[in-house]
Amino acid sequence: QVQLVESGGGLVQDGGSLRLSCSASGTIFQTDAMGWYRQAPGKERELVARILSRDRLEYGISVRGRFTISRDNGENAIVLQMNSLTPEDTAVYYCYTYAYAGDYKWGTFWGRGTQVTVSS
């Protein structure tokens, strides 16, 4: 199986920055996407940012220009640099990957999530 471990969440003031990291482990033959979604209380889960095949980047509308996603030392680790944070960014951030894994099937795998809280 594939395990995803997130780190870097926490409490920050309005206008501050945080850096989230995610690392995938397990038997992974190929990754087609890796990125972050978030879910705030009472809201649906939404895309934050992801890296697709051929290193194409995709960002949610609300974070464009403020957040940057990049690979971190290999195919199965990513970081999300979040700048100019606002209280509206408060949510649980989930790392995910869509990968061809050890059971010889494509699947979507999720981390447990890390809380990001931005105080006003």
Side-chain angles (χ1 to χ4, degrees), residues 24-40:
S25 62
T27 303
I28 302 171
F29 299 115
Q30 183 179 342
T31 299
D32 201 48
M34 192 167 183
W36 298 89
Y37 277 72
R38 69 185 182 187
Q39 188 165 20

Side-chain angles (χ1 to χ4, degrees), residues 84-101:
S84 302
L85 286 160
T86 74
E88 288 67 40
D89 294 313
T90 295
V92 178
Y93 285 67
Y94 296 92
C95 180
Y96 91 103
T97 186
Y98 181 66
Y100 189 68

Side-chain angles (χ1 to χ4, degrees), residues 59-99:
Y59 291 94
I61 292 175
S62 62
V63 307
R64 289 176 190 171
R66 300 187 297 124
F67 291 11
T68 302
I69 189 170
S70 60
R71 297 196 185 277
D72 183 20
N73 195 30
E75 288 287 317
N76 298 325
I78 56 173
V79 294
L80 182 70
Q81 179 65 42
M82 305 185 295
N83 298 327
S84 302
L85 286 160
T86 74
E88 288 67 40
D89 294 313
T90 295
V92 178
Y93 285 67
Y94 296 92
C95 180
Y96 91 103
T97 186
Y98 181 66

Side-chain angles (χ1 to χ4, degrees), residues 1-2 4 33-35 37 45 50 95-101 103 105-111:
Q1 266 294 1
V2 177
L4 297 172
M34 192 167 183
Y37 277 72
R45 191 172 292 193
R50 59 187 175 184
C95 180
Y96 91 103
T97 186
Y98 181 66
Y100 189 68
D103 58 356
K105 296 178 183 178
W106 285 95
T108 301
F109 304 92
W110 293 91

